Amino acid sequence: MAFGVIGELPRMLSFLTRRRRDRLRATPFPDAWRAVVARHVPYIRRLTSEERTELEGHVQVLLAEKSFEGCGGLQLQDVHRVTIAAHAALLLLGRSSDYFPHLHSILVYPDEYVVDEPRELDGGIMEEGPESYAGHTQRNLGALVLSWRDVLDGVRDPADGSNVIFHEFAHQLDFEDGGDDGTPLHDDVAAARRFASVVREEYARLRRDVRRRRDTLLDPYGAEDPVEFLAVAAEAFFELPLELRSEHSELYRALSDYFHQDPAAAEESART
Ligand SMILES: [Zn+2]
């Protein structure tokens, strides 16, 4: 397996890109947007004021660089764009990033949307017929699709381990190195290797637990494949950091190293 590393990223980005992003990050953040973040991004209560400022800067870049589109009759407003961008920005705090470089468009439906295409079930059997989705993205698609109703469901309970925005944007982080293998771009090869080895073990553990019908902290959907595993692990990391740290300490540490964040410690100090 080849591991992409992030060490060269800041120098690889062109001078113009860096200058444009610096300007965007320095643009004053409108009060109306701050109100949206306070209302629809409950995780920010764990952030320091420096982290909130950083998050707002990332939101400015994402809103300027990505195309947001309403679908299925949804008229997009700031509440949609800012909520989605602020969740995505949370995944970028504290580290070098190229802002989901393979992602160009974010499509938002009012509710679950129906896709009618053949799907492969276990054992290679193909299934046909419509299926509804809360969100979707894939490598080489350049787009990420979300159901707004499911976004709001995720936000309403920020500690149930489920958040479709984190899930889909975690897939985009996985794609950042050009692959989709459950190992995103890391600071260096050693860190990527450590991460891949923890994910391999934890993925096997989840598959075992699901097969034995045990209750799991991680969404059983993560047992599908390593790509889905990474996405549900990211959801748990931000939604259930304390539980993840105590029940899956190695996985928590690997995610904490990758995201450069320690939401369990931040959650503990936010509570005291
Ligand atoms: Zn997924």
Side-chain angles (χ1 to χ4, degrees), residues 28 37 74 81 248 268:
V37 174
L74 183 68
R81 281 184 284 261
H248 299 263
E268 279 170 337

Side-chain angles (χ1 to χ4, degrees), residues 37 40-41 43-44 47 54-63 66 68 80-95 97-100 103 106 144 146 151 155 163-173 176 234 238 258-259 261:
V37 174
H40 287 303
V41 193
Y43 320 89
I44 60 141
L47 303 185
E54 187 190 345
L55 180 127
E56 291 177 356
H58 291 332
V59 169
Q60 297 273 23
V61 175
L62 289 168
L63 292 181
K66 310 297 179 195
F68 286 75
H80 305 107
R81 281 184 284 261
V82 172
T83 298
I84 294 165
H87 278 79
L90 195 63
L91 306 186
L92 304 179
L93 289 182
R95 60 201 182 86
S97 141
D98 194 14
Y99 294 94
F100 311 99
L103 177 65
I106 294 141
L144 186 153
L146 291 166
V151 165
V155 165
N163 182 301
V164 68
I165 316 182
F166 291 148
H167 183 107
E168 301 305 335
F169 277 90
H171 281 322
Q172 281 294 327
L173 291 175
E176 207 173 1
F238 289 102
Y258 169 67
F259 282 114
Q261 296 184 51

Side-chain angles (χ1 to χ4, degrees), residues 28-175:
F29 202 75
D31 284 342
W33 292 7
R34 202 164 280 144
V36 169
V37 174
R39 180 139 185 248
H40 287 303
V41 193
Y43 320 89
I44 60 141
R45 67 185 181 80
R46 291 199 293 251
L47 303 185
T48 62
S49 61
E50 292 77 21
E51 287 169 328
R52 287 182 198 209
T53 305
E54 187 190 345
L55 180 127
E56 291 177 356
H58 291 332
V59 169
Q60 297 273 23
V61 175
L62 289 168
L63 292 181
E65 293 191 356
K66 310 297 179 195
S67 147
F68 286 75
E69 262 176 68
C71 302
L74 183 68
Q75 295 286 330
L76 270 203
Q77 294 164 9
D78 283 351
V79 64
H80 305 107
R81 281 184 284 261
V82 172
T83 298
I84 294 165
H87 278 79
L90 195 63
L91 306 186
L92 304 179
L93 289 182
R95 60 201 182 86
S96 301
S97 141
D98 194 14
Y99 294 94
F100 311 99
H102 302 298
L103 177 65
H104 307 293
S105 308
I106 294 141
L107 312 179
V108 191
Y109 282 84
D111 206 331
E112 288 196 334
Y113 53 97
V114 174
V115 176
D116 198 355
E117 59 181 23
R119 294 174 297 282
E120 191 177 331
L121 303 175
D122 275 353
I125 300 163
M126 299 305 284
E127 183 189 58
E128 308 238 0
E131 177 153 29
S132 45
Y133 285 87
H136 179 71
T137 190
Q138 69 187 57
R139 195 162 67 91
N140 303 332
L141 186 65
L144 186 153
V145 191
L146 291 166
S147 140
W148 182 246
R149 193 173 68 95
D150 288 87
V151 165
L152 291 182
D153 282 351
V155 165
R156 207 165 288 129
D157 187 349
D160 65 354
S162 168
N163 182 301
V164 68
I165 316 182
F166 291 148
H167 183 107
E168 301 305 335
F169 277 90
H171 281 322
Q172 281 294 327
L173 291 175
D174 189 9
F175 306 156

